[in-house]
Structure formats: C-alpha cells, structure tokens
Amino acid sequence: MSSTAAAPAGAGIRNYAIVTAAYWGFTLTDGALRMLVLLHFFRLGYSPFTLAFLFLLYEAAGIGANLIGGWLATRFGIARMLAVGLATQMAGFLMLSAVSPGWAAALSVAWVVAAQGVCGVAKDLTKTASKSAIKLIHDGTFGAAADSRLRASPPGDRTPGAAPGRLFRWVAFFTGSKNAMKGAGFFLGGLLLESLGFRGALWAMAAMLALVLAGVALSLPPMMGRAKASRSAKELFAKNAGVNLLAAARVFLFGARDVWFVVGLPVFLYASGWTFTMVGGFLAVWTIGYGVIQASAPAVVRRSADGLSAEVPAARAWSLALALVPVALAAMMLAGVPRPDLFVPAGLCVFGVLFAVNSSVHSYLVLAYAGSEKAAEDVGFYYAANAAGRFAGTLLSGLLYAWAGLEACLLGAAAMLALCWAVTLRLPLQREARTA
C-alpha cells in the first residue's frame, strides 16, 4: 500500500502545484542548457554530426535513468527522487562549466558528452518522479480511496467520467506548461550566453536550481509515493498491454520529432541565412506555442466515462494526421518550391499543433493504463521508451542531414510516424492487469 493515502482535496492540489512548479524550474534550465550547448559549440565550429553526438549520452542516459528512477521512486518515495534529480542537474551544470577553451578538441567533446549524460540522468529522474506524483496525488485525492468524499461532492464531480477527465486536465496542463517553460528556456539560454557567457550562465542556472531544491525539500512529504517496489527484473518489466504498446508508440513519436528538430532544422535555418537569435527565438516561440496547445488538448479531444473508449481512437486519428505533415513538406522541398526557409517553419507550426495533441493524449493514456501502487515503475518504463526514441531521433538527425539534407530528415520522421500510428491501432480499450 502506498504511504500516500487518500488526502484532502486541498492538500492534494497543493502537492500537485508544488510538483508542477518544481518541474517548471527544472525545465526552464534544461531548455536553456540545450540552447547553450548547441549555440556555443556551433559557434566554435563543431559539425552538425558532432553537435548531435554531444547530445547522444544525454538521451541514452535517460533510458536507464527512467527504468531505475521509477523503481527508486517506488522504493524510496517520489519526493526524494525529485530532489535527487534536481541535485544531479546542478552537478551536471558545474561539471560542464569546467570545460576550458585550452583543452584538446577530443577531451572537450568527451567531457561535454559526459556532463550531458549527467544532465540526461537528472532530467529523467525528475520527469519520472514528477509524472508519477500526478498519478499518485490524483488517485489519492479523487480516486477509489476517496469515493466517500466524492459521494458528498457536487453532482458534477460524481459522474463516471469525472476522475478520468480531471486526470486528463491535470496531465495536459502539467505537460503543456512544462513545454512552454522549455521554450522560455531556449530564449533564456541565448540571453544568458550573450550576457554572462557559457560558464557564467551555467553557474546562474545551478543557483536557480538550488532554490528550487530547497523549496521541494521544505514543502513535500519526503515519503510521498513510497510503496512496495518490484523485487525482480521479471516483476519490474511485467507491464500491461496498454503500457507496453504506448511505450512502443512513444519511441516512434518522439524519434519522429527529434529526427528533424534537434540538428536538421536549426542548422538548415542558419544555413538559409537566419541568425542565431532568429533560430533560437523561433524555436522558443514554437515550443511555447506547442506547450499551450498541449495544455489545451482536453478541450479538443472528446472524453469518455471510462477514460479510454474515446481517447484511444483519438490517439489513432491524431497520429495519422501528424504523419502527413512531414510527407507534404518533403514533397514540397523535393519539387523545388521556392523559399523553403519560410514554408518549412510554417509547416513546423502545423506539425507542432498535431504533435502537441498527440503527446498530451499519450501522456494521459499511460497514466490511465498504469496502476496506482507502482505508477512510478510504469511511468519510468514508458519514459525510458521516450528516451530511446529521442536517442534514435537525435542520432538520425545528424546522420540524415549530413547524408541528404533536411528532406531526408523529414522522410525519416514520416516513416517513424507511420509506425507510431500502426502501433496505436492495437491499443486496448479497457484497462488490464499487469502481466509477465
């Protein structure tokens, strides 16, 4: 039994607000870090493939960090793992700030890759803890354990679909606002790089996270989310069909985004005459807009009383629509349509709307399928797949762009999205027990 039993609604919403605010602070610095590293080392003359290589360990570390982080959050408590993630990010910033211009290129690359790996671990420990906390807080406040309170609540909150609808809104707001913060982080990274320099920017962000860490330590119950963790690898990987299939779809969904977003698009825009400020500003505005739409997804996706019968078909339809966008953009580029530096960003805006709704629906569905007792393990498994997709997309972004330009990146994205859609066709329409 989880140590977080049914809690008063006020306390549950308070804990949700604290977790969300802490993840905002983390994501702001994480987005700034991505822009700092990309712009700083591109300015130093690093090639597109080398830039992609700098981020590979950041993404690869997340695969193990999510799996282990989910187990650790169940074993030692979600609040503790949230604090560990914040502290690890601070350590990664300080390690990265030690890079010296006098070092040999090979040593610099190796050091940056290692520091990025530390930050990748931090990101996914924090993400797993935060997303698991939402499931835990929601179920402890509004779930089965709170049935007696719900019976006494206003009629609008006693409908069969009230709890799934509320969970969808919470997840959508959390995920959307997080991505808006990440977009603001892109702008912050460029601003700090210009005003404080590479090392000064990293020190300033470490100080910011120290304040966030202090707030988490003083505000959240340290044992929140602690439960009986899996005792074997077989038990840890015993997920229900919904979680397994969503994890597979997540690999292709986020691989399709990063295969053209991480390296291909920024380098293409810069090579087309855009300045660093224009590239960073556009990516910041795009990410903020993407986050706003993500938070608004419950308003455009029909919801069902059981939380799955309308949401699963929505995941299938939005995945198919998304796959058509990179196909259209690649066809326009191959046909020689003038000014690709204008229509590609416009197409990316359409892509962002569809991708935001897809991501929001998927983020909700994994919590809908996950069990409450070991939600952290289920969420960690799911986001390990997310990290695997980002790793593949990041690697392919550098390789495909170096091989055949942005057109190859777009076609790679289309292929991945077609696979994502095919996987969603098998998603179950009802919850199932954990199976080996």
Side-chain angles (χ1 to χ4, degrees):
M1 175 67 70
S2 170
S3 64
T4 302
I13 293 172
R14 170 186 173 275
N15 288 341
Y16 170 78
I18 292 169
V19 169
T20 301
Y23 199 46
W24 281 354
F26 178 91
T27 304
L28 187 66
T29 62
D30 188 59
L33 175 67
R34 174 62 62 106
M35 196 56 57
L36 274 173
V37 172
L38 185 65
L39 295 181
H40 177 70
F41 288 98
F42 187 79
R43 187 167 59 183
L44 294 179
Y46 285 53
S47 69
F49 177 74
T50 305
L51 289 173
F53 186 78
L54 293 178
F55 295 107
L56 284 184
L57 189 57
Y58 175 89
E59 304 297 353
I63 301 173
N66 276 302
L67 289 174
I68 301 300
W71 183 87
L72 290 174
T74 304
R75 175 69 178 81
F76 297 105
I78 288 171
R80 287 179 174 177
M81 293 314 300
L82 181 58
V84 169
L86 291 166
T88 304
Q89 180 83 326
M90 292 166 58
F93 287 168
L94 296 177
M95 180 179 174
L96 194 56
S97 72
V99 174
S100 171
W103 290 2
L107 176 59
S108 295
V109 170
W111 188 269
V112 172
V113 168
Q116 286 281 86
V118 172
C119 292
V121 170
K123 181 197 72 172
D124 288 298
L125 288 178
T126 308
K127 178 192 291 184
T128 298
S130 300
K131 291 287 181 76
S132 303
I134 295 176
K135 172 73 171 178
L136 180 77
I137 293 167
H138 176 272
D139 286 0
T141 306
F142 300 107
D147 280 344
S148 60
R149 286 199 311 280
L150 287 179
R151 283 193 291 269
S153 66
D157 278 344
R158 285 185 273 133
T159 60
R166 186 183 295 108
L167 179 59
F168 196 171
R169 291 193 301 273
W170 278 23
V171 172
F173 176 78
F174 178 89
T175 308
S177 61
K178 177 265 293 186
N179 282 306
M181 278 291 176
K182 188 171 186 177
F186 289 158
F187 176 77
L188 177 66
L191 179 64
L192 291 176
L193 185 61
E194 292 289 344
S195 57
L196 300 178
F198 186 67
R199 183 171 297 171
L202 290 166
W203 288 348
M205 293 193 301
M208 180 191 300
L209 283 186
L211 297 176
V212 176
L213 176 58
V216 168
L218 295 173
S219 303
L220 287 178
M223 304 301 286
M224 183 178 77
R226 185 178 179 186
K228 185 178 180 181
S230 295
R231 292 171 294 182
S232 66
K234 181 179 179 180
E235 185 179 352
L236 177 63
F237 286 95
K239 308 300 179 188
N240 63 52
V243 173
N244 283 331
L245 289 168
L246 269 175
R250 192 77 172 188
V251 170
F252 298 122
L253 181 66
F254 273 77
R257 183 196 68 177
D258 287 359
V259 75
W260 68 302
F261 190 80
V262 172
V263 174
L265 181 69
V267 173
F268 168 77
L269 293 177
Y270 181 74
S272 299
W274 289 39
T275 65
F276 281 142
T277 303
M278 292 169 65
V279 173
F282 172 74
L283 293 179
V285 171
W286 184 89
T287 308
I288 291 171
Y290 157 72
V292 170
I293 294 167
Q294 205 169 26
S296 305
V300 299
V301 175
R302 188 171 65 87
R303 284 168 284 163
S304 59
D306 60 18
L308 291 175
S309 58
E311 292 80 355
V312 170
R316 296 166 181 166
W318 286 94
S319 296
L320 180 59
L322 180 62
L324 300 177
V325 177
V327 172
L329 290 175
M332 292 172 69
M333 293 190 72
L334 291 171
V337 176
R339 297 305 303 271
D341 61 314
L342 295 182
F343 73 71
V344 167
L348 179 61
C349 292
V350 177
F351 183 92
V353 171
L354 300 176
F355 185 87
V357 177
N358 269 280
S359 179
S360 190
V361 172
H362 282 213
S363 295
Y364 159 73
L365 284 175
V366 72
L367 294 184
Y369 285 127
S372 296
E373 284 296 311
K374 295 184 179 181
E377 291 186 0
D378 289 342
V379 172
F381 176 79
Y382 173 74
Y383 281 107
N386 183 91
R390 292 180 59 119
F391 175 85
T394 299
L395 177 61
L396 288 172
S397 187
L399 288 174
L400 291 177
Y401 189 86
W403 173 54
L406 190 63
E407 297 92 330
C409 296
L410 289 167
L411 292 174
M416 286 186 166
L417 289 171
L419 291 171
C420 173
W421 170 73
V423 172
T424 62
L425 294 179
R426 298 188 59 195
L427 286 175
L429 293 174
Q430 59 186 9
R431 294 171 181 82
E432 301 173 10
R434 291 166 70 98
T435 57

